[in-house]
Amino acid sequence: MNIDIAGLPAEAIVFETSPLAELGLALHALSEPGHHPGLHGWATATAASLEPALADRLHEAEFLWRNTFSDIFMPFAGVRGGDGRTGATLAEDLDILDKLDDERFVAAALEFTCASHYGTGAPSPLTDATMRARALDMAAARGPQQAHFTQQLLADPLAVRGWVRRLFEDCEQAFFADTWRRVRVQLVADARHKTELLRRKGLDEAVRAVSAALSLNDDGTRIGVDKLSEGRTNATDPAVGPGLTLIPTTFGWPHLMVLHAPDWRPVIHYPVHRPDLPSPASVELLQLRMEALAHPMRMRLCRNLARSPYSTGELADSHGITAPEVSRHLSVLKKAGLVTTRRRGRYVLHQLDLTAVTRLGSDFLEGILR
């Protein structure tokens, strides 16, 4: 995924905090605690404290945050003629959400039914009969709740928008006000630190501090995002004003999300750094490791190498193949970062990197969820 920033002035790249965006990921963590093992305690306690009526309403709308993270949680990026700034409070963020026109609100709310068209600038289901039929068909396939919501949204957007705002306000009263007070200090400090890093050391340093999955190309015209999903957006598009917003979250890991809808301001929503979290493996490295381990002979070699160091000759003798064949297999494993080598006298010994192999499952999960 790429974000074009050619010609974008430095002052148009901003780090912000957003209560509404954080609420969205908090709701995601509540509905998908398996994605966020570090939040099990918070999710369990919060879910147990919800009033049944609020829990039922959250269940009705959970498709907005469970499988995908709807852009309605970042409305500042889609207001035509806006400045891309977020609200200081949830109420201010919700006021910005109210400024989104109906077509943009509906398109963002129905991303789950139009995922294959995200990033293409497809017509609104409010005005296009084909897109309307598609949205209704796909919503029906996902169950009666999604179908009912979609029917209501297309028939009366204003009423549904009011219902969604009241839902978020009730979340604030029930649990999010306390949650935001607890996490806000860390988020504000992170945004301030990254802003200072951008000012003093430049965009390359700031981008690398945000996430190892982000990189700036050599001529500084494009930010690359190491994700399995593909997409491209332009931070200099004048439709909503040129700029790029980066928002930290305490609930986001392992997700690194990029808003790249056409005519919306690009947004990078990134998890704040925690010392106990490992650096993410790149998608390319993850693919190398999985391909390396998929070969039957390399799996058999790994069985030896996991137990103790072996020389090439020992491995060849043990498996009945030639030393050059062993060397070729070891080369693949070393390129994938799965084998280490050390010299003992005139012998070179190879051993499986158990830490890297142990991390493979979590690297895979993080890579596909990022």
Side-chain angles (χ1 to χ4, degrees):
M1 183 174 293
N2 293 293
I3 303 172
D4 295 323
I5 57 170
L8 188 68
E11 60 270 19
I13 301 173
V14 296
F15 288 87
E16 297 271 349
T17 61
S18 168
L20 182 56
E22 193 71 350
L23 172 60
L25 277 175
L27 291 172
H28 170 71
L30 276 178
S31 60
E32 287 286 0
H35 290 188
H36 308 273
L39 298 173
H40 279 174
W42 175 87
T44 301
T46 301
S49 69
L50 292 177
E51 292 289 337
L54 178 57
D56 288 344
R57 290 160 62 203
L58 288 174
H59 185 63
E60 286 183 49
E62 69 176 4
F63 60 84
L64 293 173
W65 54 76
R66 182 164 195 155
N67 299 322
T68 63
F69 184 75
S70 172
D71 290 344
I72 68 169
F73 290 103
M74 292 184 278
F76 63 88
V79 174
R80 301 179 194 274
D83 58 6
R85 310 301 294 211
T86 62
T89 65
L90 183 63
E92 290 181 11
D93 265 351
L94 292 176
D95 288 343
I96 298 172
L97 179 60
D98 287 343
K99 294 178 182 177
L100 272 185
D101 60 55
D102 283 347
E103 288 191 7
R104 291 201 166 195
F105 182 93
V106 169
L110 297 184
E111 284 168 19
F112 74 101
T113 65
C114 306
S116 62
H117 294 286
Y118 188 91
T120 64
S124 167
L126 281 180
T127 57
D128 185 87
T130 300
M131 288 300 295
R132 182 186 186 89
R134 182 181 189 277
L136 290 170
D137 285 345
M138 293 192 68
R142 296 189 177 228
Q145 288 179 323
Q146 288 89 335
H148 177 72
F149 183 94
T150 302
Q151 290 165 359
Q152 294 294 108
L153 181 62
L154 293 175
D156 191 353
L158 185 61
V160 174
R161 294 180 68 157
W163 184 88
V164 169
R165 174 162 185 150
R166 289 190 297 274
L167 175 64
F168 293 160
E169 290 171 339
D170 289 346
C171 286
E172 180 177 39
Q173 184 175 358
F175 67 90
F176 186 68
D178 290 338
T179 299
W180 180 247
R181 277 193 294 269
R182 177 172 56 83
V183 304
R184 179 182 177 276
V185 173
Q186 182 183 12
L187 297 180
V188 169
D190 186 88
R192 185 181 297 122
H193 170 68
K194 299 294 195 306
T195 300
E196 187 65 11
L197 199 61
L198 176 64
R199 185 183 69 85
R200 294 171 62 90
K201 295 190 176 181
L203 182 58
D204 185 48
E205 287 285 336
V207 161
R208 285 194 281 125
V210 167
S211 172
L214 299 180
S215 60
L216 186 68
N217 69 338
D218 291 340
D219 60 5
T221 61
R222 186 178 69 251
I223 295 175
V225 187
D226 186 36
K227 289 173 66 75
L228 283 172
S229 58
E230 296 182 1
R232 194 178 192 96
T233 185
N234 188 348
T236 61
D237 189 334
V240 289
L244 170 65
T245 302
L246 297 97
I247 298 181
T249 170
T250 58
F251 284 91
W253 190 88
H255 309 303
L256 175 71
M257 289 169 290
V258 180
L259 191 164
H260 61 283
D263 298 332
W264 286 57
R265 180 187 180 99
V267 179
I268 298 175
H269 201 186
Y270 66 94
V272 293
H273 176 71
R274 282 171 35 199
D276 56 322
L277 295 178
S279 298
S282 70
V283 172
E284 181 182 7
L285 179 59
L286 177 62
Q287 183 176 344
L288 274 177
R289 288 179 171 176
M290 296 184 72
E291 289 175 348
L293 293 174
H295 194 284
M297 178 53 71
R298 288 195 283 273
M299 290 183 67
R300 292 170 61 190
L301 292 174
C302 285
R303 186 173 186 273
N304 295 87
L305 298 172
R307 287 168 167 75
S308 67
Y310 279 79
S311 69
T312 301
E314 289 174 323
L315 290 170
D317 184 66
S318 176
H319 292 279
I321 60 177
T322 66
E325 286 180 284
V326 171
S327 294
R328 285 194 292 272
H329 287 305
L330 289 175
S331 177
V332 174
L333 292 169
K334 283 189 282 188
K335 185 178 180 181
L338 295 172
V339 166
T340 60
T341 61
R342 62 186 174 89
R343 181 171 289 279
R344 188 175 66 192
R346 64 190 184 91
Y347 295 102
V348 175
L349 300 179
H350 312 278
Q351 190 164 20
L352 195 67
D353 187 335
L354 297 181
T355 300
V357 175
T358 301
R359 275 280 305 160
L360 191 58
S362 52
D363 281 343
F364 173 75
L365 185 61
E366 181 184 340
I368 61 173
L369 291 177
R370 188 188 307 155

